[in-house]
């Protein structure tokens, strides 16, 4: 007997706080794409999003789709105050992306106690209120056991 079939569950997660510089990032996430700014002149990634390249001072930028793969660098479980919009305490992690820079996100699909440094993860998207999506990371098994 299902108690959930009458009411489709609405996302409880807060939508992203969107700034002008980062609007492209969140808009793409809602479309299911994980992207970053990449300097049109020197090719370095620019994260967090900003108008000027910190390496060559160029104002020209491309939006590049990322692999979505990375590894857990470090992680915490915020307990107080209790994060809003989560049924269970989320695991907040710094993910080192294949492209060489780090993002703060959540790790899902694994107990907090089982997360370890270097854990291979891949991006997926979690729905939020207001019909948005945000990137989160889930553990993946690595081919060849590396
Ligand atoms: Zn540059």
């Amino acid at each position: 007997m299902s108690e959930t079939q009458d009411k489709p569950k609405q996302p409880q997660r807060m939508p992203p706080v969107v700034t002008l510089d980062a609007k492209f990032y969140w808009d793409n996430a809602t479309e299911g794409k994980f992207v970053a700014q990449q300097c049109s002149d020197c090719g370095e990634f620019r994260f967090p999003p900003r108008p000027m390249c910190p390496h060559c001072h160029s104002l020209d930028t491309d939006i590049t789709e990322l692999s979505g793969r990375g590894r857990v660098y470090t992680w915490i479980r915020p307990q107080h105050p209790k994060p809003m919009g989560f049924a269970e305490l989320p695991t907040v992690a710094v993910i080192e992306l294949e492209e060489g820079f780090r993002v703060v996100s959540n790790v899902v699909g694994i107990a907090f106690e089982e997360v370890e440094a270097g854990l291979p993860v891949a991006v997926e998207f979690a729905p939020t209120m207001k019909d948005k999506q945000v990137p989160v990371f889930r553990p993946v098994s690595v081919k060849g056991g590396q």
Side-chain angles (χ1 to χ4, degrees):
M1 199 158 70
S2 169
E3 294 175 2
T4 57
Q5 72 187 63
D6 293 336
K7 255 198 270 182
K9 208 161 183 238
Q10 296 298 313
Q12 297 299 306
R13 187 188 276 261
M14 299 293 286
V17 176
V18 177
T19 61
L20 189 60
D21 284 339
K23 186 175 186 305
F24 76 93
Y25 178 81
W26 299 114
D27 285 351
N28 274 280
T30 291
E31 302 283 315
K33 288 186 196 157
F34 187 55
V35 301
Q37 282 178 313
Q38 191 170 18
C39 180
S40 304
D41 288 315
C42 75
E44 292 283 342
F45 284 102
R46 222 179 280 179
F47 192 90
R50 69 195 87 165
M52 183 181 282
C53 176
H55 302 279
C56 75
H57 301 166
S58 171
L59 296 174
D60 296 326
T61 184
D62 297 317
I63 305 301
T64 302
E65 190 157 3
L66 304 171
S67 71
R69 290 187 297 272
R71 289 177 183 271
V72 173
Y73 183 76
T74 189
W75 65 103
I76 60 159
R77 183 165 54 178
Q79 307 210 25
H80 185 77
K82 190 171 185 283
M84 283 191 297
F86 294 91
E88 293 168 20
L89 293 174
T91 299
V92 177
V94 175
I95 308 297
E96 185 151 80
L97 298 175
E98 262 187 1
E99 286 81 3
F101 60 98
R102 296 172 187 160
V103 299
V104 176
S105 184
N106 294 148
V107 175
V108 299
I110 183 170
F112 177 79
E113 294 75 13
E114 290 173 14
V115 177
E116 53 188 40
L119 181 72
V121 290
V123 78
E124 62 180 48
F125 296 89
T128 72
M129 296 160 66
K130 299 192 175 179
D131 295 326
K132 307 283 186 191
Q133 294 195 113
V134 295
V136 297
F137 288 81
R138 183 179 292 272
V140 291
S141 56
V142 178
K143 254 189 182 161
Q146 295 287 314

